[in-house]
Amino acid sequence: MAKITYIEHDGTSHTIDCENGMTVMEGAIKNSIPGIDADCGGACACATCHVYVDGAWKDKTGSAEQMEEDMLDFAFDVRDGSRLSCQIKVSDEVDGLVVRLPEKQF
């Protein structure tokens, strides 16, 4: 089990407990975190679960693989640390992870 904190663009913070083996996206959907739409259900095919991961967590969350990099091309306001939350696995190593959500674009 790991605590994950999601910070909305306006600064609203949500901290939840996620089971190991889930993805950061699945934890958000299960707990109705606003700003994570996950239109593709976690198939790495839509970029609607885009988050920003602080560089201090990069070693523990891993790097984006090619498929994720390709999908991030469709995300708004991609930065260093941009990841798709459907590609970040929850484990004891990411206990305390904080992800920030980009501003929603409609």
Side-chain angles (χ1 to χ4, degrees), residues 30-50:
K30 184 176 179 181
N31 290 278
S32 303
I33 303 296
I36 302 279
D37 295 334
D39 290 344
C40 74
C44 195
C46 72
T48 61
C49 66
H50 177 214

Side-chain angles (χ1 to χ4, degrees), residues 32-101:
S32 303
I33 303 296
I36 302 279
D37 295 334
D39 290 344
C40 74
C44 195
C46 72
T48 61
C49 66
H50 177 214
V51 296
Y52 303 118
V53 177
D54 186 270
W57 287 96
K58 185 173 179 162
D59 286 343
K60 294 183 181 187
T61 59
S63 298
E65 294 192 12
Q66 189 59 51
M67 186 172 164
E68 181 180 356
E69 289 282 349
D70 291 346
M71 273 299 108
L72 281 168
D73 289 342
F74 297 101
F76 178 76
D77 195 20
V78 175
R79 308 175 186 170
D80 284 344
S82 283
R83 292 292 309 273
L84 298 182
S85 60
C86 68
Q87 300 301 299
I88 303 171
K89 284 282 189 200
V90 174
S91 68
D92 290 342
E93 284 201 350
V94 298
D95 186 34
L97 175 66
V98 176
V99 295
R100 296 183 183 279
L101 308 177

